[in-house]
Amino acid sequence: MPIDAKQPYDEQNIFARILRGEIPSKTVMESEHSLAFHDINPLAPIHVLVIPRGPYVSWDDFTAKASDAEIADFVRTVGEVARQTGADAQGYRILSNSGKRSGQEVAHLHVHVFGGAPLGPMLAR
Ligand code: 5GP
């Protein structure tokens, strides 16, 4: 069920639980304000999720409320993930679903990093 990007932050969402170490994930890299881990259901040979450590529901929420330090760290981590995984060698895609119409399922901001193969058209028609 897609979530509302404007809803209050839910401390029990699955990525909050990953951040607290309550459920396992396969870490790609960590930084002061961000965590990157492999998607449990990869849609490309490289499919990594990058999340801020702070309690932000969506891109909208994050860019309205996060500090410059958190935003800079997050954007740099996305780039570093692309380099560390080798996704940058032949091209990659970053994507963040925000709210109901996008199909966002997990109510904690995440950027998908896809790579490792041709990725097809930007959107299904
Ligand atoms: P969204 O549709 O919200 O943009 O993407 C949510 C992503 O989270 C999906 O690609 C889904 O496979 C991934 N996901 C959901 N639950 C888990 C989990 O427990 N662990 C990991 N690593 N990924 C998850």
Side-chain angles (χ1 to χ4, degrees):
M1 187 70 163
I3 65 105
D4 180 349
K6 306 286 188 191
Q7 72 185 45
Y9 187 77
D10 171 13
E11 296 284 350
Q12 294 309 317
N13 80 75
I14 198 91
F15 294 168
R17 298 186 64 204
I18 284 175
L19 281 165
R20 291 195 295 267
E22 294 170 6
I23 57 171
S25 66
K26 291 185 180 165
T27 300
V28 173
M29 68 169 284
E30 296 185 73
S31 63
E32 184 181 358
H33 295 296
S34 311
L35 173 68
F37 53 95
H38 293 284
D39 196 291
I40 203 165
N41 182 27
L43 299 176
I46 297 167
H47 185 176
V48 176
L49 300 170
V50 186
I51 65 174
R53 294 187 186 277
Y56 304 105
V57 176
S58 64
W59 188 266
D60 182 62
D61 193 27
F62 183 62
T63 54
K65 296 180 190 159
S67 67
D68 289 355
E70 288 173 291
I71 291 171
D73 178 293
F74 186 67
V75 173
R76 284 192 192 282
T77 301
V78 171
E80 187 59 28
V81 162
R83 288 186 289 275
Q84 276 197 23
T85 58
D88 64 327
Q90 297 196 66
Y92 61 95
R93 178 173 297 155
I94 60 176
L95 179 151
S96 187
N97 291 315
S98 187
K100 280 189 177 148
R101 285 188 169 173
S102 73
Q104 182 182 358
E105 295 275 357
V106 179
H108 184 112
L109 170 64
H110 48 285
V111 164
H112 299 256
V113 180
F114 299 108
L119 295 169
M122 188 161 56
L123 286 176
R125 290 175 194 263

